[in-house]
Amino acid sequence: MAPTKASKKAEAVAKASKASKFKKSRKKYFSVTFRKPETKVFKKSPKYVRKSLGSLQKLDHYAILRYPLTTESAMKKIEENNTLVFIVDLRSSKKQIKDAVEKMYDIQTKKVNTLIRPDGQKKAYVRLTADTDALDVANKIGII
């Protein structure tokens, strides 16, 4: 039987596949530790917003200062130490408290000390500068 055109083609393919056996090469690593190769990182583009609400409201100076304390010890601080005592928001910092007092009452503050009371509220002792009298400010606020 004479070889047909199809059988010649099949023989050629078989011969080519036998001849082109190649050895699989492996990547050479020169370090003991394996480092994951860097891949492309795509920018996030969500189909819809996952949160229905935005972030929490920032504290403004009205939210920071809740109310001034009018206890006997607070009155003593006003008279003797030139210091006002406030109950403030728990999340507020000393810098925020200082800025809020200066903005609301138009006075200069020297320093602010804070503590968290056992009932969970934050108390701020606002020391005023020597040129500002705490007694006058307390009268203006309506503490005394």
Side-chain angles (χ1 to χ4, degrees), residues 7-126:
S7 65
K8 280 185 181 177
K9 216 177 211 184
E11 283 176 21
V13 169
K15 193 175 183 183
S17 67
K18 281 180 187 173
S20 67
K21 284 195 176 177
F22 60 92
K23 187 178 177 187
K24 187 177 178 185
S25 63
R26 300 181 109 208
K27 184 175 176 8
K28 290 181 182 172
Y29 289 98
F30 299 102
S31 174
V32 182
T33 55
F34 175 76
R35 305 264 184 218
K36 192 175 89 173
E38 286 190 22
T39 57
K40 185 173 183 181
V41 179
F42 291 98
K43 191 176 178 184
K44 291 182 181 179
S45 57
K47 301 278 188 266
Y48 62 93
V49 180
R50 297 305 197 267
K51 289 184 184 176
S52 61
L53 296 173
S55 61
L56 289 173
Q57 298 259 333
K58 300 277 189 230
L59 291 171
D60 62 339
H61 56 274
Y62 295 109
I64 289 170
L65 297 179
R66 290 213 179 137
Y67 55 89
L69 268 186
T70 56
T71 59
E72 283 184 40
S73 61
M75 292 301 150
K76 192 174 181 182
K77 288 266 187 205
I78 289 171
E79 293 165 2
E80 294 177 5
N81 299 344
N82 204 31
T83 302
L84 296 172
V85 185
F86 291 96
I87 295 296
V88 295
D89 193 283
L90 200 60
R91 297 169 291 170
S92 59
S93 66
K94 290 182 181 186
K95 175 100 172 78
Q96 289 173 324
I97 294 166
K98 184 176 182 176
D99 292 341
V101 169
E102 288 178 358
K103 190 171 182 181
M104 286 185 72
Y105 303 118
D106 297 322
I107 53 176
Q108 293 299 312
T109 59
K110 189 173 183 181
K111 69 174 186 173
V112 175
N113 289 335
T114 59
L115 63 88
I116 296 178
R117 303 190 326 180
D119 64 352
Q121 293 181 321
K122 186 181 258 190
K123 188 195 290 187
Y125 295 98
V126 181

